[in-house]
Amino acid sequence: MQTRIYQDQNWILFLPLAWGDSGIYQCIINNTNMCHRIHVNLTVFNETQCVSRNSQVNLSDEYKQILHVGKNDSLTCHLNFPKSCNLDSVKWYKDCKEIKGERFAYWERKRKLSVSNVSAEDRGNYLCKAKLTHAGKQYMVLHRITVNVTENVGHGGIIPKITYPTNNTIEAQLGSTLIVDCNITDTRDNTNLRCWRVSSTLVDIYYKESKRVQEGIETHISFQEHNFYTVNITFLEVKMEDYDHPFTCHAGVSAAYFILKPPVPDFLAYLIGGLLAFAGAAVFVMCLYNIFWIDIALWYRSAFQSTGTIEDGKLYDAYVLYPKPQRESQSYIMDTLVLKVLPEVLERQCGYQLFIFGRDEFPGQAVASVIDENIKLCRRLIIIIVPESLGFDLLKNMSEEQIAIYNALIQDGMKVILIEVEKIKNYTVMPESIQYIKQKHGSVHWNGDFTEESLCAKTKFWKKVRYCMPPKRFPPSSHAQLLKHMPCDLTAGN
């Protein structure tokens, strides 16, 4: 073939057309079942760009169109080319003159000419001309139309029916992209104009500069007696100016609109979201509380503690009851814990006052009398226990232990702090009173480590003990003096 004649799939292009191109062309379509042969007779005419109103032009029916008097109608420029060809710069002419005026509007993308308020003067010879670009070369293409006017509306007086929109409102989020279809049922041989308008102005013209809102390509589905048309309008970005503004779809004399509205807040969704957020926060707080509840309690005591002494008639914060070793060689660990570690942390660092039998009684006093009197002056009872396998006796025959337990559990009902020097695996071998205390108050486990770190009041073990101790209230002067001697940071509370 010559370089000016191209095949593009099932198209044959003559760019440009020449006198010698007249003849019969054969198109062969092969598929798996059969072979189709189509013959096309091509006749080249001497085409002139301008034809006046009085000129006689013999055109086939596909080059004839009708406008309806008194209506808004349109003409279509049937320039069909494959996708490899680009058509633009469409211009319309009537009786050799370029069409201009307020009643006419060009739709370049659809290659349509909109005519408002059609009159008998709109009859005549029309020409649409466009610039075609193919393979980097440009050509001029023409399509001639003979236009008649009639006073009938559509075919048989049938008016197009718009099934959507229905003069309704549509919720659209600000800044979102939105596509709305206009669905139209009309006769097969209609020439009705189908378009979108804003304030009686075509959408493509109204948004000519920004092109933010555009009318889409019209599509249709053919049925036996009618066509179903769809033409959409696309909002590339919804803006505030689009709200409460009617966008109208026209189909001949029929019209229907929609109005954009901002979305109504979904209060139920907000409520459910709020409840879920609250529930999540509550679960999170409960988890934190279960992990740090002792730290929170001690911090609260430290932050909101009041000065002054507690007016309850007590002199001591705790009475320390500990088992006595059967042999002198076993007394080192217990004496270190009771006579050094407890006083260092609870008394020196935390400001508590302990009563330890063997350290705080006066010489010559009767044992039973000292124990009975001083146990009543204490706010807590600290009981230190060890497994029986270590050779310590607890609550067997000693009067100190019997009196202390009797006062704590029966007479005064004071709170008991049970400290395990080593993990007690079997409480059934313990006295019933210890089993009862374990069940009611629980226990705190001491790992037996006497390092410097373990002697700090902010370790986990001492926090548990401090939590079980009564809230400490310092006189204004003594509180300031005590803080000067504290080696550990007690900001978590006393």
Side-chain angles (χ1 to χ4, degrees):
M1 278 193 177
Q2 304 177 33
T3 56
R4 64 182 181 83
I5 302 177
Y6 306 89
Q7 180 180 350
D8 188 337
Q9 296 182 358
N10 60 334
W11 294 78
I12 184 169
L13 303 177
F14 298 87
L15 300 174
L17 188 66
W19 278 106
D21 294 330
S22 296
I24 298 176
Y25 292 80
Q26 181 177 265
C27 175
I28 301 176
I29 302 175
N30 291 312
N31 56 33
T32 56
N33 299 324
M34 61 187 68
C35 175
H36 295 281
R37 295 176 181 268
I38 302 174
H39 294 84
V40 179
N41 187 4
L42 175 63
T43 302
V44 179
F45 292 98
N46 183 16
E47 178 73 12
T48 58
Q49 293 192 16
C50 181
V51 179
S52 64
R53 172 188 288 259
N54 298 323
S55 300
Q56 297 295 324
V57 181
N58 186 16
L59 298 176
S60 62
D61 290 341
E62 62 180 308
Y63 294 94
K64 297 178 181 179
Q65 298 184 32
I66 298 175
L67 294 176
H68 299 90
V69 175
K71 309 300 180 183
N72 295 333
D73 218 331
S74 67
L75 300 175
T76 302
C77 182
H78 294 289
L79 295 176
N80 298 318
F81 287 87
K83 294 182 179 179
S84 60
C85 298
N86 181 40
L87 285 172
D88 58 8
S89 302
V90 178
K91 291 186 178 182
W92 286 83
Y93 299 84
K94 179 179 180 290
D95 299 332
C96 301
K97 296 180 181 179
E98 185 175 354
I99 298 175
K100 296 180 180 179
E102 296 181 356
R103 292 197 305 119
F104 302 94
Y106 294 163
W107 291 3
E108 187 166 330
R109 289 191 306 120
K110 288 189 172 186
R111 297 189 286 278
K112 282 194 173 187
L113 173 68
S114 172
V115 184
S116 300
N117 193 18
V118 175
S119 67
E121 294 298 321
D122 294 320
R123 180 187 294 109
N125 296 314
Y126 287 74
L127 176 73
C128 63
K129 182 171 63 174
K131 182 175 65 177
L132 183 145
T133 303
H134 180 269
K137 296 181 179 180
Q138 293 185 349
Y139 308 90
M140 189 63 65
V141 292
L142 308 173
H143 176 65
R144 194 177 308 283
I145 305 168
T146 297
V147 176
N148 288 319
V149 296
T150 178
E151 300 203 9
N152 293 329
V153 179
H155 177 72
I158 298 176
I159 298 176
K161 181 180 179 181
I162 299 177
T163 56
Y164 191 85
T166 58
N167 300 339
N168 57 299
T169 60
I170 298 177
E171 292 185 359
Q173 188 70 42
L174 189 66
S176 64
T177 300
L178 177 66
I179 300 176
V180 181
D181 287 338
C182 180
N183 299 324
I184 307 161
T185 301
D186 203 350
T187 56
R188 292 176 59 90
D189 56 351
N190 72 83
T191 58
N192 290 310
L193 171 66
R194 289 167 289 275
C195 62
W196 285 95
R197 294 179 183 269
V198 183
S199 301
S200 301
T201 305
L202 294 173
V203 165
D204 288 348
I205 297 176
Y206 192 89
Y207 295 96
K208 184 177 181 179
E209 294 184 2
S210 66
K211 298 187 182 300
R212 183 176 58 83
V213 182
Q214 300 177 3
E215 181 177 310
I217 301 299
E218 179 184 293
T219 61
H220 74 276
I221 302 175
S222 296
F223 296 93
Q224 185 174 358
E225 297 181 354
H226 66 275
N227 286 346
F228 180 79
Y229 296 89
T230 299
V231 55
N232 62 44
I233 182 173
T234 301
F235 296 80
L236 300 179
E237 180 185 2
V238 175
K239 294 188 175 182
M240 286 296 299
E241 63 194 63
D242 300 330
Y243 292 135
D244 299 318
H245 199 69
F247 291 84
T248 306
C249 175
H250 292 266
V253 296
S254 302
Y257 66 87
F258 71 87
I259 296 177
L260 292 183
K261 295 283 187 182
V264 177
D266 190 349
F267 294 104
L268 180 60
Y270 284 121
L271 178 60
I272 294 175
L275 292 176
L276 290 177
F278 178 78
V283 171
F284 178 73
V285 171
M286 289 301 298
C287 292
L288 288 180
Y289 180 78
N290 289 334
I291 298 174
F292 302 106
W293 62 277
I294 291 180
D295 299 82
I296 295 173
L298 295 178
W299 169 83
Y300 180 84
R301 290 183 186 179
S302 175
F304 300 100
Q305 65 182 356
S306 61
T307 59
T309 58
I310 303 175
E311 299 298 335
D312 57 1
K314 307 290 186 179
L315 296 179
Y316 303 99
D317 292 295
Y319 187 101
V320 181
L321 177 62
Y322 60 99
K324 307 303 185 289
Q326 296 176 354
R327 296 183 299 273
E328 290 294 329
S329 60
Q330 299 171 330
S331 64
Y332 173 75
I333 295 178
M334 191 60 62
D335 288 345
T336 303
L337 176 62
V338 174
L339 300 178
K340 292 185 179 180
V341 176
L342 284 178
E344 165 64 25
V345 178
L346 295 182
E347 290 187 333
R348 185 170 179 273
Q349 296 183 32
C350 301
Y352 289 110
Q353 184 65 44
L354 306 177
F355 184 90
I356 303 175
F357 187 81
R359 185 196 72 167
D360 297 322
E361 78 277 7
F362 293 105
Q365 289 182 299
V367 174
S369 176
V370 170
I371 296 172
D372 185 58
E373 291 178 0
N374 287 283
I375 196 71
K376 294 178 181 179
L377 298 176
C378 297
R379 300 182 181 91
R380 297 286 188 273
L381 173 61
I382 298 177
I383 301 179
I384 301 175
I385 59 173
V386 295
E388 286 192 341
S389 59
L390 296 182
F392 288 81
D393 292 326
L394 180 64
L395 303 181
K396 294 294 180 64
N397 299 312
M398 292 183 60
S399 58
E400 178 195 8
E401 298 164 354
Q402 295 172 358
I403 295 171
I405 293 297
Y406 174 79
N407 280 274
L409 300 183
I410 299 176
Q411 187 171 352
D412 292 338
M414 70 171 60
K415 185 174 182 179
V416 180
I417 304 173
L418 196 62
I419 298 179
E420 300 176 2
V421 174
E422 289 193 12
K423 187 67 176 177
I424 307 297
K425 297 181 180 179
N426 185 12
Y427 268 84
T428 58
V429 298
M430 292 287 175
E432 291 184 1
S433 56
I434 297 298
Q435 296 181 39
Y436 173 78
I437 293 172
K438 166 66 175 178
Q439 182 180 3
K440 183 178 180 181
H441 300 284
S443 63
V444 185
H445 176 64
W446 168 261
N447 60 11
D449 186 5
F450 296 111
T451 62
E452 182 178 353
E453 182 181 356
S454 66
L455 299 182
C456 182
K458 65 178 181 179
T459 59
K460 186 176 181 180
F461 168 79
W462 291 112
K463 285 181 180 180
K464 292 181 179 179
V465 175
R466 290 161 53 200
Y467 175 77
C468 297
M469 292 290 285
K472 190 61 185 173
R473 301 186 181 184
F474 300 102
S477 58
S478 62
H479 188 198
Q481 294 173 359
L482 178 64
L483 292 177
K484 297 179 181 180
H485 301 285
M486 291 185 181
C488 295
D489 181 12
L490 299 182
T491 56
N494 292 321

